Amino acid sequence: MTSLGIGLIGTGFMGKCHALAYGSVKAVFGDVPATRLEVLCDVPAEKAEAFADQFGFARATSDWKDLIADPKVDIVCITTPNKVHKEMALAALEAGKHVHLEKPMALSLEDARQMLSVAERTGAKTIVGYNYLHNPAISHARKLIADGAIGRIVHFRGMVDEDYQADPDLAWTWRATKADAGLGTLGDLGCHLISLATALVGPVESLVAETRTVHETRPMGNGSSERRPVENEDIASALLTFENGVHGVVSTSRSAWGRKSYIGFEVHGTEGMITFDQERMNELRLYQNRGELAEQGFKTLLSGPAHPPYGQFVPAAGHQLGFNDLKVIEVHEFLKAISEGRNAVPSFREALHFEAVIHAIAEAGETGSRVRVARAD
Amino acid sequence: MTSLGIGLIGTGFMGKCHALAYGSVKAVFGDVPATRLEVLCDVPAEKAEAFADQFGFARATSDWKDLIADPKVDIVCITTPNKVHKEMALAALEAGKHVHLEKPMALSLEDARQMLSVAERTGAKTIVGYNYLHNPAISHARKLIADGAIGRIVHFRGMVDEDYQADPDLAWTWRATKADAGLGTLGDLGCHLISLATALVGPVESLVAETRTVHETRPMGNGSSERRPVENEDIASALLTFENGVHGVVSTSRSAWGRKSYIGFEVHGTEGMITFDQERMNELRLYQNRGELAEQGFKTLLSGPAHPPYGQFVPAAGHQLGFNDLKVIEVHEFLKAISEGRNAVPSFREALHFEAVIHAIAEAGETGSRVRVARAD
Amino acid sequence: MTSLGIGLIGTGFMGKCHALAYGSVKAVFGDVPATRLEVLCDVPAEKAEAFADQFGFARATSDWKDLIADPKVDIVCITTPNKVHKEMALAALEAGKHVHLEKPMALSLEDARQMLSVAERTGAKTIVGYNYLHNPAISHARKLIADGAIGRIVHFRGMVDEDYQADPDLAWTWRATKADAGLGTLGDLGCHLISLATALVGPVESLVAETRTVHETRPMGNGSSERRPVENEDIASALLTFENGVHGVVSTSRSAWGRKSYIGFEVHGTEGMITFDQERMNELRLYQNRGELAEQGFKTLLSGPAHPPYGQFVPAAGHQLGFNDLKVIEVHEFLKAISEGRNAVPSFREALHFEAVIHAIAEAGETGSRVRVARAD
Amino acid sequence: MTSLGIGLIGTGFMGKCHALAYGSVKAVFGDVPATRLEVLCDVPAEKAEAFADQFGFARATSDWKDLIADPKVDIVCITTPNKVHKEMALAALEAGKHVHLEKPMALSLEDARQMLSVAERTGAKTIVGYNYLHNPAISHARKLIADGAIGRIVHFRGMVDEDYQADPDLAWTWRATKADAGLGTLGDLGCHLISLATALVGPVESLVAETRTVHETRPMGNGSSERRPVENEDIASALLTFENGVHGVVSTSRSAWGRKSYIGFEVHGTEGMITFDQERMNELRLYQNRGELAEQGFKTLLSGPAHPPYGQFVPAAGHQLGFNDLKVIEVHEFLKAISEGRNAVPSFREALHFEAVIHAIAEAGETGSRVRVARAD
């Protein structure tokens, strides 16, 4: 297998996560092409240089177009703020590069749809950073459902919360603007939940919703008495109708004190139930209406080698995967797809649906009416 | 204090629970009038006799009107199927008896409103069996909220589930009919959640909702191939707007495998969060945005004498109250109200709001439109 | 069935618990003789009078010998401080009364052995208040073990903790003296754990142990600067060898901050494991080496009607029993034994073994040597 | 900082873990010398070649002496079976290499003591793979204790279990022999618990213990009817006296069904308690006797940037570290120690104490007598 050159734009939370994943994926899995960490881009140049040295990239640049133009780069990883995703992704695709894009794809659904269109025209491979999908516990939940372990699905509930915007005194930032951040908690957190809901139950057909901005203004900080409005939602909730007729409830808050990385869901079936919480990401809970009533109960399945690809990381159960390991699995999926000439999952196509749902929630929250989720085509 | 004579109609789940509670309330609390278990009513007469002996009632009858007419009876406890609540309650009230009624008050909101009207005209005291309200952990949650322990409330989420209608092969019963049972999971379970939501956050102003009948028909059983339709909902979910503007999400299912008495909620505030789950009814979880970040976390408060009236049952923390103890607290509230000449909580008036909300959810589920919750007056 | 007259000595924690249990046992179970609450004894007389009124006893006395002498009394309940257990129990037995005694039986093993001897001579029925044994979850654990659900038992671990002596500044009381309290945490808490260990694994043959007094002196309180020594142990741990060869570890502390009623154990078998914690007394956790590895995990069994006699209290699973309900089951066992003319469990005979074990632990802690547990005969 | 060349012996569980950690440590932390993955050794040569390619090592060898002799190698990582640790470590040390050795150090305490002696003579840096010590949650527990958050320590309890030897039908392997494996569960698991106990409470002075071989023989497998004896312990438990007088209880089993990576402990203090369980390695539970009694409870601290060095991996709390991340922190400690010219922790010196304790437990289990833990010097 020919090795693949990596160009990474961004050195923050997700930038580092990508650097670590592309740096270790072959050691973990073995069955993928070797990766070369070729170019790292950030501004200013000094920052790019420092992180290139730390992360092990061959060179640094402060010009993302320079990175994209580099013939040694086969895959462009985009981990920049949301509002520049579109421009970078389109440029990379047009340059014939495969694109690993952090979520959400873009500020608007129209932009995301255009990105999909370009991707499918160029034939480049794409993947979007819906990393929680790659948790072996989630894969096992999907397998259990597919195998009929809980019968026919009849209901879904999900919540995704953090508390990074819970403090009323927190200073105003660009995250509060529609122009720079787009959606609020829906874009940051909600779309992750939708990615899981879709993977577990199927696509969403329509919904009603409510959205709330809990902290309507925020101080500008630095001793100023000025306050600026928060333009996007802190909390959003929706009643979903999936295409298969199943009814679901979802809710998200970026102002939920105590919740650090909470993504909880329940899948109700005619023969059992599955529940999960990302803050205990190595545990899946399963109830099955089987055997003696006196011995029925929720069973905690602790992730292990019986839940692939856990065993690629640790050959012993219960030892725990971490958040960064999910990105390694995502990168593995991408490299396998590229080397096999197939589409990765979730590509721009699947991601477009996730994002169509959150935009539908935002619209339903504003209009108070039922909204049909836009189709990819 | 003059002792109070008790007449109990019904000997099932709630009937036994009432008998135990009225039989032990003075021993537990000390500060209430003595109770005399005077008349027990059920059909047939033999059943009433047998349970009167077991429960310690002075006499038995198979005629509830006889019970109500008995001058030794001061309090009439109604624990019969929902559809006869109204007739019995009205008769008892008109006979000048205090009424302890199991929830829901009636099949329709109109009936419930009429019952309130009669109760307030007669001046008799009433209480409705929203027993989870009386959990010391819930009372402590209310105290914490009132004391500002989690700041201003900004969001509420709640779920209430059981699995008694989860089995697709379960035989059809009267519970499936609107005529005999009225609402489905909303009437059995949902109203309990609303009682808690209201107690914690305040009255509900309006809502949108979805309701689903998961098992559309059920077999008649006994080898028959006939199936009859299920007329009421197995699952219901709603997006609530409380009168104080807070947004909430609630969901209920009577077909949720593995859930035995699950009533879970989260109250999100600007300075913290409180969560609870009835299946661990002696635990309240509290997060507060206080002190060092490294030492912030959800704290599990195990019920104890610091959470009245827990100490009336057991003087040592962590020893656990049980479900039947909640009814004792409810009865204590009723006896105190009667002896002090004040209204009990929740009387027909408060209960009417809880039930107005579930009827609004049912209506919103059918119409697909936002529904304003009917006011008591 | 002839009704049985109850005489209760003591009105504290356990006194109230007995009053409630004897007052409700027939209503709960139905299949036992009716009970008459005849005489309540405490000092001073006013206290006895007040509690007799509250608890519903026919008369009060401040003289326990008067209570024992009353021909209307068939069962004498002894819930007084440990050091008077022996004198009262012997008097009651000699008067031909059945004896319901709170644990521990006596301050010394010699006294306990003498009490057993008298009981067996008189033929009166006895039961000792090892109430945790009567939890339906524990009964189910025993059934699972007997049915081979976890194979052959190979190991046991148990802990029992509270924090009522955790505060270093707590004032000195009689509990700190060997003369009045006898053992420390072993007598208060440790014996409960041993009752469970024995029920689950079998009798104990020998052990080594360590005991510690964490707070060697305590202030006399009331502003005095005097401190007095704590003569008995705050913490005790032991390595047990059961008669069947199984090895076990037990540990107890009355100075364990945060532990309110913690009784946790693990039973390790060749085919599975059972774990339990009294602070979640309605849950039993079961792991079985069965089925697909990917679906193996600890299952939480929530107590319900499938775990008798839970259903006598509540006909719906998951609704939770409480601490006081355990005493009702204990009383039921006692009344059934009396009416059937068989021995109750645990009678003085079984209790003697539990107490022989804690005295052996205390001795081993003092001597540093392996101690064989004294046999009942 | 000069880069450091890594030579790794072994490609199994720990081998891969080392490869990943040395490959990513600089990307994660930034503040350490770059590492060069120089030589990978395993047998046969083809296996070494294949893993060298997968892990990214510059060359492969099947001769560990060749690896040690390579001047490009600065650090020798030894992840081979226990019985060859000594020979390899001594050779590496004599060759002037720093040594990163997996635990336990050696089969016998004598061998381990000799290894320490050589290490201290050569002046090479050493570290032993007691990786659980490096969990940020553990570091925070140590900080809390040092800061007096739970007062004076009065008691310790710990358990470490897995179930890899729980199946009675599992085939016999070299792990069952004293000659090849040395100790049983004590060497595999118990020493990890001791490393934590020592870090939290201090060194151990003496102990009494019991050890058990649950499965006394095992089948040879492959259809043979032969069974061979298991020479080392499946279960071991001990009552510890720490040098500071604190009393502790520890227990370990490699035959504990359902336990996958269970390392649980409780540290009891005069003002609070800390508990932990490795199967939920991102959670620390803290109880403090502070504030209102009604609001006291165990608090779950979810690891985050407030618990260094968590933030080097993920800048957001609650996202979860995994098992492999602990090795990265261990490697960081080693590289920092080497670059700063100080000893790493735990070096051979600290590890010797952990291993002295497990050998003392084994001896006490055999002799039935109290054993003083051997001192390093």
Side-chain angles (χ1 to χ4, degrees), chain A residues 154-155 157 159 161 210 212 214 237 241 245 247 249 251 257-260 266 269-270 272-273 287 289 370, chain B residues 154 157 159 161 210 212 214 237 241 245 247 249 251 257-260 266 269-270 272-273 287 289 370:
Chain A
V154 296
H155 190 46
R157 291 181 190 147
M159 297 185 284
D161 294 334
E210 276 205 13
R212 291 294 163 105
V214 169
S237 304
T241 301
H247 167 214
V249 188
S251 188
W257 276 121
R259 297 280 165 77
K260 305 304 179 186
E266 311 172 357
T270 52
M273 190 187 292
Y287 184 98
N289 176 31
R370 175 168 291 273
Chain B
V154 297
R157 292 181 189 146
M159 298 185 282
D161 294 335
E210 277 205 12
R212 291 293 162 104
V214 169
S237 304
T241 301
H247 167 215
V249 188
S251 188
W257 276 120
R259 296 281 165 77
K260 305 304 179 185
E266 311 171 357
T270 52
M273 189 187 293
Y287 184 98
N289 176 31
R370 175 168 293 271

Side-chain angles (χ1 to χ4, degrees), chain D residues 14-323:
Chain D
M14 281 302 115
K16 189 174 195 174
C17 188
H18 278 243
L20 289 169
Y22 278 97
S24 64
V25 60
K26 185 172 179 185
V28 172
F29 281 93
D31 66 349
V32 287
T35 53
R36 293 171 280 103
L37 305 185
E38 292 288 354
V39 192
L40 181 68
C41 174
D42 206 336
V43 287
E46 296 71 31
K47 186 177 181 187
E49 293 286 351
F51 277 108
D53 177 61
Q54 176 172 340
F55 294 167
F57 277 80
R59 76 176 180 92
T61 179
S62 60
D63 176 2
W64 62 267
K65 292 178 181 172
D66 165 41
L67 179 148
I68 286 174
D70 191 321
K72 289 185 183 161
V73 168
D74 301 299
I75 296 173
V76 175
C77 298
I78 302 171
T79 69
T80 49
N82 304 346
K83 75 169 173 174
V84 293
H85 283 185
K86 178 188 173 187
E87 184 182 9
M88 290 176 177
L90 292 182
L93 290 167
E94 297 291 3
K97 312 294 187 181
H98 305 299
V99 172
H100 188 163
L101 178 64
E102 271 310 308
K103 45 61 58 183
M105 290 174 71
L107 296 195
S108 74
L109 192 57
E110 294 63 36
D111 285 351
R113 189 176 282 114
Q114 180 186 350
M115 290 157 73
L116 169 61
S117 168
V118 172
E120 297 198 341
R121 170 169 53 76
T122 64
K125 301 304 178 196
T126 59
I127 196 166
V128 185
Y130 285 97
N131 47 321
Y132 299 111
L133 277 177
H134 303 285
N135 186 335
I138 300 298
S139 299
H140 192 63
R142 298 173 70 173
K143 178 178 183 300
L144 285 168
I145 291 169
D147 291 351
I150 59 168
R152 177 172 60 91
I153 296 178
V154 297
H155 190 45
F156 175 86
R157 293 182 188 144
M159 297 185 283
V160 54
D161 294 335
E162 295 195 10
D163 62 6
Y164 62 92
Q165 295 282 315
D167 187 347
D169 299 327
L170 203 72
W172 186 95
T173 69
W174 62 270
R175 286 191 175 278
T177 65
K178 290 197 176 182
D180 285 359
L183 300 176
T185 190
L186 285 165
D188 282 357
L189 308 179
C191 55
H192 278 300
L193 178 60
I194 299 301
S195 77
L196 295 173
T198 301
L200 294 159
V201 183
V204 179
E205 190 264 352
S206 69
L207 52 88
V208 293
E210 277 205 12
T211 53
R212 290 292 162 106
T213 303
V214 168
H215 305 290
E216 297 185 351
T217 63
R218 289 196 172 275
M220 287 308 293
N222 293 321
S224 158
S225 64
E226 186 192 351
R227 299 183 69 90
R228 288 204 190 155
V230 175
E231 300 171 0
N232 47 27
E233 78 290 348
D234 290 317
I235 299 177
S237 303
L239 306 180
L240 308 180
T241 301
F242 290 88
E243 290 186 3
N244 57 14
V246 170
H247 168 215
V249 188
V250 292
S251 189
T252 176
S253 172
R254 63 184 179 185
S255 300
W257 277 121
R259 297 282 165 75
K260 304 304 178 185
S261 183
Y262 187 82
I263 311 178
F265 64 74
E266 311 171 357
V267 185
H268 298 223
T270 51
E271 299 175 28
M273 190 188 293
I274 290 172
T275 74
F276 173 81
D277 163 13
Q278 171 68 21
E279 286 180 352
R280 289 178 173 166
M281 63 173 269
N282 289 278
E283 299 178 17
L284 193 68
R285 290 186 8 116
L286 171 66
Y287 184 98
Q288 290 180 290
N289 176 31
R290 293 185 186 172
E292 292 296 315
L293 185 56
E295 272 85 70
Q296 288 183 16
F298 274 99
K299 204 190 291 180
T300 301
L301 311 182
L302 205 47
S303 292
H307 312 101
Y310 176 101
Q312 297 294 328
F313 294 86
V314 188
H319 282 58
Q320 314 284 307
L321 298 194
F323 176 83

